[in-house]
Amino acid sequence: MPVEGATTTIHELQYSDAAKLIPLITTVFPKTSSIKILPFAPFNALIIIANPVTTQQIIDLVDQLDIPRGNRQIKLHTLQYASATTLAPLLSKIFADKIVAGKGEGKTATGSAVKIIAEPRLNALIIIADRLATDRVLQLIAKLDTVQGTSGETQLKLVPLENTSAKRMAVLLSKIFSDSVVAGKGEGKTAKASPVKIIEEERLNSLIIIAGRIEIEQILSLIKKLDVFQESGKIKSNFKLYHLKHAVAKDMAVLLKEVTGRITEVAR
């Protein structure tokens, strides 16, 4: 039966097998009375029957998927809490060899080991990578896809460090800014209800911060003070957190800074 208001388009593929792409494409665009997508083997093409707007959306997605794959696989991962359009560019910065300027879909240069595409219709990520890289991406997604703050202004920010180990900094900042810390392997994991989560990213020696706008500003301000190079000793930044029982941290910091020049006060 003809689809009312629809056009029929034959879209040829260069690299991917049209028949193998059908399951993924129809997950994003399920077959309905107004959408039909069929493989056409003679041309290694897709026959798309839909209205012009939907047809173009399907072609846009197919073009992002139709790349030289080698041993890379395609995986669709649905998110529970985080926004796909927010996570895709963040993950691309971490895992992609080169980033191509685009509209936030996480596009990477041809030949890049990892490509991550946001699929807002399902709030999902499409990951194109080899098995090992896919597992690494999924492990990081599991840490990032957490319950968002009730204020609705939860943000994600990637912060590269120059002079400090991301692992050490994540642990320290989690102790300072988290309501409660869950024992882990140094990723800075926090309790489910905590408004701040800080995760180390060893690939870039960076921190991934999940927090509200005000908390992020406070964290960035503290990182700027801690991530410094100590010229006198020619060593990278080193620090230790001390809890005071009786003295006021601000007053103590002023006094010790006059003596050493290397004290940072945190009033929390």
Side-chain angles (χ1 to χ4, degrees):
M1 180 181 295
V3 178
E4 186 177 351
T7 59
T8 299
T9 303
I10 298 178
H11 187 70
E12 294 186 43
L13 305 182
Q14 285 186 283
Y15 306 104
S16 302
D17 184 327
K20 291 182 178 179
L21 272 191
I22 287 287
L24 175 60
I25 299 299
T26 53
T27 299
V28 179
F29 297 92
K31 182 179 178 181
T32 65
S33 59
S34 60
I35 301 176
K36 296 185 187 302
I37 307 171
L38 306 168
F40 186 51
F43 289 170
N44 188 36
L46 297 176
I47 299 176
I48 305 168
I49 305 173
N51 66 58
V53 173
T54 302
T55 295
Q56 189 57 53
Q57 291 174 340
I58 294 171
I59 290 174
D60 288 344
L61 178 57
V62 170
D63 286 347
Q64 291 187 73
L65 298 174
D66 186 27
I67 60 175
R69 293 230 314 268
N71 65 342
R72 292 183 292 176
Q73 59 189 19
I74 298 179
K75 184 172 183 63
L76 179 71
H77 183 81
T78 304
L79 302 175
Q80 286 186 281
Y81 306 106
S83 163
T85 53
T86 299
L87 276 195
L90 174 69
L91 292 170
S92 292
K93 286 181 182 178
I94 295 171
F95 289 98
D97 294 334
K98 296 179 181 178
I99 304 296
V100 175
K103 298 180 180 178
E105 300 92 339
K107 292 182 179 179
T108 63
T110 302
S112 176
V114 176
K115 183 171 184 177
I116 300 171
I117 303 166
E119 181 37 65
R121 298 167 194 82
L122 303 177
N123 192 37
L125 297 173
I126 299 174
I127 305 164
I128 305 176
D130 61 34
R131 183 184 58 80
L132 182 59
T134 297
D135 288 344
R136 288 175 176 169
V137 174
L138 291 175
Q139 287 171 9
L140 183 53
I141 289 174
K143 297 176 184 177
L144 297 174
D145 189 22
T146 58
V147 177
Q148 305 296 295
T150 55
S151 64
E153 61 169 19
T154 302
Q155 301 177 4
L156 279 78
K157 191 168 185 67
L158 181 68
V159 183
L161 301 179
E162 294 183 15
N163 302 297
T164 312
S165 159
K167 184 173 183 177
R168 293 195 63 214
M169 185 74 86
V171 173
L172 176 70
L173 293 176
S174 292
K175 288 180 180 178
I176 295 172
F177 288 95
S178 299
D179 290 340
S180 55
V181 178
V182 177
K185 298 180 179 179
E187 300 93 337
K189 290 183 178 179
T190 63
K192 187 175 182 181
S194 175
V196 174
K197 188 170 185 178
I198 300 171
I199 303 166
E200 68 177 80
E201 177 39 57
E202 292 182 334
R203 287 170 57 95
L204 303 178
N205 192 42
S206 299
L207 299 176
I208 301 172
I209 304 171
I210 307 175
R213 180 182 57 81
I214 294 176
E215 288 81 8
I216 284 183
E217 290 176 358
Q218 293 173 339
I219 293 169
L220 292 178
S221 176
L222 183 55
I223 289 174
K224 187 176 181 180
K225 297 175 182 177
L226 295 174
D227 187 29
V228 295
F229 189 83
Q230 299 177 9
E231 282 292 339
S232 59
K234 299 296 182 183
I235 60 174
K236 291 188 175 182
S237 179
N238 192 14
F239 41 73
K240 186 174 180 64
L241 179 67
Y242 290 94
H243 295 278
L244 302 181
K245 292 184 179 180
H246 307 293
V248 178
K250 188 172 184 178
D251 295 339
M252 182 69 76
V254 172
L255 176 63
L256 293 175
K257 192 169 185 178
E258 289 179 359
V259 178
T260 67
R262 298 188 184 92
I263 301 295
T264 298
E265 165 261 334
V266 180
R268 281 185 66 85

